[in-house]
Amino acid sequence: MDHAPPPPPDSHRTPPQPHLPPLPSTEAAVEVLSALAERRGLPVAVEHAIGADESSRRTAAGAFAVTDADGSLPHEALVEIPATDGPGGAPRTPRIAVQLFEEGDAHITVDGVTFHDLPRESAPAFLEAVFDGRAHLRTTWYPPFCRLVVTLDGELSYKEVVPLAYGGLSRWLNSLRS
């Protein structure tokens, strides 16, 4: 019989990922993102690309081929939310474009800064974080470097380099500087 004390709890465990509701299709993601923007009074424009001949990732589709080889009908969408200004002309929200792919990933562009290959399920939480003010800039003076950081619930953060070479920071990005 072993009388050894139980092992200490793991103190170096990674924090649990936030629970993200499943978005089984591109259409489901479009509905959730559109509802999120409309709840905040923001206009939304949606473009759909349905079929292998319309999909950006299926450039090898044969002539007049609409379905994939397995018979499925690919569906991609682009959700655009224009920038808005608050009282006094201060930027309230950035210009956002969410490109949703059939494979379950998304590219989210916030005022010219593109976050590549995010899981489709994290797109609504990402937009909520941006709208709720959980986005900030991390800068260094030397070497000059700027990164946009968007923090979701559960301590999950997405970081992307801000391209400063082509015009500097947008009005919204500049408003994030402290």
Side-chain angles (χ1 to χ4, degrees):
M1 193 154 148
D2 190 8
H3 294 287
D10 271 344
S11 60
H12 60 279
R13 255 190 221 166
T14 57
Q17 297 296 326
H19 176 66
L20 300 171
L23 296 173
S25 67
T26 300
E27 187 60 34
V30 167
E31 288 175 16
V32 168
L33 295 174
S34 296
L36 186 148
E38 289 169 4
R39 263 195 328 269
R40 294 181 175 271
L42 300 172
V44 178
V46 180
E47 292 180 28
H48 295 274
I50 300 174
D53 57 337
E54 296 289 323
S55 177
S56 64
R57 292 189 175 169
R58 288 170 175 78
T59 56
F64 308 109
V66 176
T67 60
D68 281 342
D70 64 355
S72 64
L73 189 63
H75 178 196
E76 294 179 1
L78 176 66
V79 178
E80 295 180 305
I81 303 170
T84 58
D85 290 337
R92 186 179 82 150
T93 61
R95 183 182 73 245
I96 297 175
V98 181
Q99 190 173 10
L100 300 162
F101 297 102
E102 176 67 26
E103 292 83 5
D105 62 325
H107 293 180
I108 302 177
T109 304
V110 180
D111 263 4
V113 180
T114 302
F115 293 80
H116 296 274
D117 301 324
L118 275 69
R120 176 170 52 205
E121 286 78 18
S122 68
F126 187 96
L127 265 59
E128 286 281 356
V130 170
F131 295 147
D132 290 344
R134 288 181 275 139
H136 65 275
L137 290 178
R138 188 170 295 154
T139 59
T140 59
W141 290 101
Y142 189 80
F145 192 74
C146 187
R147 194 175 285 242
L148 177 60
V149 180
V150 178
T151 305
L152 280 56
D153 292 334
E155 300 178 11
L156 176 65
S157 294
Y158 290 105
K159 304 169 189 157
E160 197 62 51
V161 174
V162 177
L164 297 174
Y166 303 104
L169 298 175
S170 68
R171 287 179 53 229
W172 182 80
L173 286 170
N174 207 21
S175 74
L176 297 179
R177 298 179 109 183
S178 356

